[in-house]
Structure formats: structure tokens, C-alpha cells
Amino acid sequence: MSSYPGNEKNDLDVEASPHRVVDPEPVVGEVKDVSHADAALDFLRSEGEVRPMTAEDEKRLVRKIDWMIMPLMWCCYCLQYLDKTLINYANVMGLQKDAHVTPAQFSNLALIFYVTYLAFEFPHGYGMQRLPTAKYLGTMVSCWGVIVAVTSACKNYGALVTTRVLLGCFESAVAPSLILITSMWYKRNEQPPRVGIWYLGTGTGTIIGSLISFGFQHYKSHTFTSWQIMFLIVGLVTICVGILVVFLLPDNPMKSRLTHEEKVWAVERLRENMTGIENKQLKLPQVLECFRDPQTWLLSLITMSSNVPNGAISSFQATLIKSFGYTSETTALLQIPSGVVSIIAILSATYLAGRYNQRGIQIVLLLIPGMLGGALMAFLPAHNKVGKLVGIYLTNAIGSSLPLLYSWVSANYGGHSKKVTMNAILLMSFCIGNIIGPLSFTATSAPDYNPAKITIIITCAFAAVVTIVLQLYYIRENKRRDRLAGEGKQGHLKDVEFADMTDRENMEFRYKL
């Protein structure tokens, strides 16, 4: 008997089913009602047949897709990281003095950004589901570019608070948009390297920011300060990139600049993902399932704990380096190796994750140098500046675990509404970690900040343990489903790959490790 009451085995309407998530009966037949299924299914059934795609065709297609979307995605993530950290470079360029901001108020500016970032994740998730994803992303990029440019006119703490609130509001759309776009175009084993490419924006953003800061510190004027010119120029560049995204980044494969044949191939090759491409209907049962799913909260804990040190270092790295006695110009240059460490860690970890289908192991391996870096900063004697500097550089590997978490979500969440919900939860967890991190740098612990450095060690260790637990959960669940398949309790539904079923509803789904 089918688990979808009121339908015959070969006349199946997926939406007639209750949302069962525990050992559903075998489902056979065909998806008849495409109105509630993934948009890709309606496209495939209405566009007719094309010739089969060869391995060489697929290679050319993937290369074409890469050049069509990856540069713009990298630009978006690079600018969102650069723009939110410009205030740290501005701090060593005299922002606090010029805007009459106290050290405590400056710390609050980092906190305020992430509070707003957190608050707008669910509204952005709804917006991305209901509106064209790429157009929505490009609009948000241009909006925060305006805010960055306007920051150049800020002369007091109140004005800076306003711009940080608005910056967090608009930038919070970037990561979930890019995660969705990545899952629309790439197979699950292709996703980690591609997420790694656009996430390289963090490392390259650090290098670009350091060079920009160093360059603008040589600008002298009685009309504008160096940090004001920096904000204005970077803001204008961001606006231009946002406009390019609106006009050049496709909303999905079906509406892209690919040929008709290539569009069909681009969709068909993603069947094996079983996560779909796009569905503009918000399905409440999928949202609720996301909150009930154990992997949701394990991923949330990993993200939260691993971003406590990430938030601390990204906000106070310049302050820590300058406390060693370096000038503002030298401090800017000494942050470049941090970007290099981040780039190396991202490229190597995401490549290995895609090559060997092992995201969890790579996350643990990235957390180990973070723990070592925290230990070097906390326990080396004060005169060992080189060792402490190496410790700061090593902690930059921690943030490189985030693209692996992004790719875990895009690979292991089926159902568009569930995926959008999880993207919001993941980014909210990211925000909470980044809110807690800077708070560990208290005024009473200055200038050594040893409690913050010990916090880095503890949170990294906790994240590593939870990552191992999640990996074991996936292994057990996959074995359970294999056992059900062996007992004939799985069945097969034609076009289930694009039925917009969740990973828990679709018992043919297998989790990536």
C-alpha cells in the first residue's frame, strides 16, 4: 500500500501525502501534480527531449557554468567580508579619535552588526524563496554599498551605529543566497570546492583590506581623512558589483543564458542530489520538520561554537597586532598573512571534502590549528611576539570550516522550504558565535586578553566533538536506510529527485559525510 492515501500506486500525487518522516511505507509510481513539485520538474516535462549528455559535454557545461556565476559570487562574498571589516582598518587609521568613539563603544559596533544580521535571516529567507534569488541578492549588495559609502560621512557614535545596523540588515542576505545558488547548479560532490571558491572572499578580502588600509594611510588631507576616502571608494565599488549581479547572475538554470540543450542538461545532471532546484511556495510542514531534525541543532552548535573565535579574531586582530608595538601601517601589512592562511585552508579543505566526500573530518582538521593558535597566544611569554603572531595567523584556519558547513547544508537538506529555513538557522548560529566572540575581549582583561584566548581553545574543542557526533549520526542514518532498502521497504517514485520532498520524507536520500 502506498503511504499516500487516496492514490493508486501508479497515479501518485505527492502533495496528497501526510508529511511522514519515520520509516514511511514504500512509495512507487510517478509524480503527477507538478504544481507543488520543484520548478525543475515542470521545466523538464514541458521542454521536450534533447540528446543524451556525454562526459565531455558535461565537462564543458560545468566549465561554462563556473565562468558564468562563480566570479560574481566571489565578488559578493569578498565585498561583504571587506565591507563589514573596514571599520577595523578604520580604527587603526584614527576612526575612534575622529568620531569621538570610546573603546567600549567601538566594541559595540561589532556587536550591533551581528545582532541585526541575526534578526533579518528569516525575513531574507522568505524573500529569497518568493522572489528571484539572484535579483534579490544583487539588490541587497547595492543597498549595503550605499551604506558603506555613507559611512564616510559619519562624525559621531550615533551615526556609526545607524550604518552598522543597516549594514547588518542588507549583508545578512549574502551567504544564504549563495548557498541556495550553489545547490541550484552543482552536484553534491562539486559543491564544497565551489563554496570554497566564493568563500575565498574572506581571505582575499583580508588581503585587499590590508593593502587598501596601508595605501590610504599615506593619503593626507585637511578635508577628508584617509578612512573616509576608503569607505567612500569601497562603497561605490560595491554598488557597481550589485548592479552587475542583478543583470548578469541567472536566477536559476532554467532562466539562464545557456542554450536550451544546456539548460536541460544542467537540470538533469542534478537528479542525483535529490535536493531539487527551486520552489516558490513556502511549505510550513517542511519548516517545522527543519526544527525537529536532529542534524539542524548539531550543525547549529558546530557553527555557533566555531564562530566564537572567528568573531573574536576578525574584530580584534588589528588591535592584538598593534598591541605588540607596531605602527598602524605595519599592523595593516602584518594582517596579510592571515588572509594567506585562510586562502590555503579554504582551498585545501574544500578540495579534499569534495574529492573524498568527507566534510566532517576536514572541519575537525581545521579546528586543530585554531586550538594551537589560541594556546600560543594565551601561554607564550609576552616577549615572544613572533610566536604570538603565529598564533593569530593559525586561528584564521577556524573560519575556513564555515564553507564546509555551508556545503553540508546544501547537500543534506531536501525540500526547498526546509533548505531555506536551515540556511537562516545556520546564519543565525553564525551571528550568535560572532556576537559572543568579541564580548570575550573585556576591558578588564586588556591588554593580554587571556580569557578570550582560552575561550578560543575551548570552543574549538567543543565544535570538533559535536562534528564527530554529527558524522556518526549520518553514518547510522544511512545504514538504517540501506537496511530498509534491503528489506524492500523503500520503493521508488519516478521523478522523486524533483518532487520537492525533504530528506526525511524521501527514503532514497543518503546523507553526505
Side-chain angles (χ1 to χ4, degrees):
M1 178 182 294
S2 169
S3 62
Y4 296 90
N7 291 278
E8 298 299 323
K9 281 188 175 183
N10 293 314
D11 188 24
L12 191 65
D13 181 340
V14 172
E15 287 303 309
S17 72
H19 289 266
R20 301 185 62 183
V21 297
V22 180
D23 293 353
E25 295 178 21
V27 178
V28 296
E30 179 181 5
V31 178
K32 295 290 187 181
D33 182 7
V34 298
S35 63
H36 296 288
D38 196 275
L41 184 57
D42 185 39
F43 172 80
L44 290 175
R45 290 187 176 179
S46 63
E47 291 301 309
E49 297 291 330
V50 299
R51 68 179 178 86
M53 179 177 61
T54 66
E56 190 61 32
D57 289 331
E58 184 172 22
K59 187 176 180 180
R60 282 196 301 269
L61 176 62
V62 172
R63 189 184 305 117
K64 186 174 182 178
I65 292 171
D66 284 340
W67 283 108
M68 184 169 58
I69 69 174
M70 292 310 304
L72 287 171
M73 293 172 74
W74 172 83
C75 284
C76 290
Y77 209 79
C78 178
L79 286 170
Q80 74 91 26
Y81 186 82
L82 175 62
D83 292 352
K84 77 178 180 182
T85 55
L86 275 184
I87 198 165
N88 301 321
Y89 298 110
N91 189 40
V92 298
M93 296 165 70
L95 171 69
Q96 285 195 36
K97 179 182 177 182
D98 296 334
H100 312 292
V101 174
T102 66
Q105 288 175 329
F106 179 78
S107 296
N108 288 338
L109 292 175
L111 173 67
I112 289 166
F113 171 84
Y114 284 109
V115 169
T116 314
Y117 198 111
L118 183 153
F120 277 83
E121 281 304 332
F122 278 118
H124 280 313
Y126 180 76
M128 281 180 283
Q129 178 150 24
R130 299 294 296 171
L131 301 171
T133 306
K135 304 295 186 295
Y136 190 87
L137 170 62
T139 302
M140 294 300 107
V141 173
S142 292
C143 286
W144 95 60
V146 171
I147 301 305
V148 172
V150 168
T151 305
S152 63
C154 293
K155 297 291 181 67
N156 55 58
Y157 177 63
L160 288 171
V161 168
T162 302
T163 57
R164 294 298 283 181
V165 166
L166 293 173
L167 190 65
C169 165
F170 296 125
E171 282 204 15
S172 55
V174 177
S177 296
L178 296 182
I179 296 170
L180 272 183
I181 292 169
T182 303
S183 67
M184 288 179 183
W185 290 92
Y186 295 105
K187 294 179 179 179
R188 292 201 285 177
N189 66 304
E190 297 169 345
Q191 289 171 11
R194 268 66 183 193
V195 173
I197 289 172
W198 56 256
Y199 192 82
L200 280 178
T202 56
T204 50
T206 299
I207 294 173
I208 293 169
S210 299
L211 293 174
I212 289 175
S213 174
F214 177 76
F216 279 115
Q217 285 182 59
H218 292 84
Y219 168 85
K220 306 295 180 184
S221 171
H222 296 294
T223 306
F224 294 103
T225 64
S226 57
W227 63 266
Q228 286 178 311
I229 294 296
M230 179 178 70
F231 272 109
L232 179 61
I233 291 177
V234 175
L236 292 174
V237 170
T238 303
I239 294 171
C240 292
V241 170
I243 294 171
L244 288 176
V245 170
V246 169
F247 288 103
L248 297 181
L249 188 64
D251 291 309
N252 57 50
M254 296 83 77
K255 297 179 181 178
S256 67
R257 298 186 298 278
L258 298 174
T259 66
H260 174 262
E261 186 176 57
E262 289 171 336
K263 289 177 183 178
V264 175
W265 288 345
V267 173
E268 281 287 1
R269 65 189 292 271
L270 300 186
R271 278 187 180 274
E272 66 183 58
N273 288 1
M274 293 196 176
T275 55
I277 292 179
E278 189 174 62
N279 185 295
K280 291 302 182 183
Q281 303 173 43
L282 181 64
K283 300 178 180 178
L284 184 59
Q286 290 192 11
V287 174
L288 296 176
E289 180 183 310
C290 184
F291 283 100
R292 294 194 300 264
D293 197 333
Q295 65 170 330
T296 295
W297 303 111
L298 291 172
L299 283 163
S300 177
L301 284 173
I302 298 167
T303 306
M304 199 183 308
S305 54
S306 63
N307 276 282
V308 170
N310 184 52
I313 293 300
S314 64
S315 297
F316 284 89
Q317 180 170 252
T319 304
L320 288 171
I321 293 175
K322 193 174 183 182
S323 70
F324 296 153
Y326 298 110
T327 64
S328 297
E329 291 85 352
T330 304
T331 296
L333 292 177
L334 286 174
Q335 292 181 78
I336 293 177
S338 295
V340 174
V341 169
S342 179
I343 289 172
I344 293 172
I346 291 168
L347 286 176
S348 58
T350 53
Y351 168 77
L352 292 171
R355 178 71 177 80
Y356 298 105
N357 187 30
Q358 289 291 341
R359 294 160 177 81
I361 291 175
Q362 302 307 320
I363 290 173
V364 173
L365 291 176
L366 289 171
L367 292 170
I368 291 172
M371 288 184 273
L372 177 59
L376 291 175
M377 288 192 294
F379 303 121
L380 282 179
H383 63 80
N384 193 341
K385 296 179 181 179
V386 174
K388 287 180 175 287
L389 198 58
V390 169
I392 291 174
Y393 295 151
L394 286 174
T395 56
N396 282 272
I398 303 169
S400 303
S401 63
L402 194 56
L404 296 174
L405 291 166
Y406 288 162
S407 69
W408 235 349
V409 169
S410 64
N412 286 345
Y413 277 76
H416 199 74
S417 293
K418 183 178 181 181
K419 189 184 301 182
V420 168
T421 304
M422 183 55 207
N423 286 343
I425 293 173
L426 187 77
L427 270 297
M428 291 175 74
S429 304
F430 163 81
C431 291
I432 293 171
N434 278 277
I435 289 169
I436 296 172
L439 295 178
S440 63
F441 282 79
T442 60
T444 55
S445 64
D448 294 330
Y449 299 110
N450 273 338
K453 297 167 185 176
I454 293 172
T455 299
I456 290 174
I457 302 171
I458 295 172
T459 52
C460 283
F462 177 77
V465 171
V466 180
T467 300
I468 293 170
V469 171
L470 178 59
Q471 187 113 354
L472 294 174
Y473 168 78
Y474 285 146
I475 292 171
R476 191 183 77 166
E477 182 62 19
N478 285 343
K479 287 182 177 179
R480 186 180 74 85
R481 295 185 180 206
D482 289 342
R483 187 182 70 251
L484 290 174
E487 295 171 354
K489 297 179 180 179
Q490 182 170 283
H492 175 69
L493 176 68
K494 183 180 178 182
D495 289 326
V496 67
E497 303 90 349
F498 298 124
D500 197 40
M501 294 173 68
T502 69
D503 53 282
R504 300 188 77 185
E505 291 172 328
N506 178 12
M507 296 305 290
E508 295 181 57
F509 189 94
R510 297 296 183 272
Y511 295 98
K512 294 293 184 180
L513 303 181

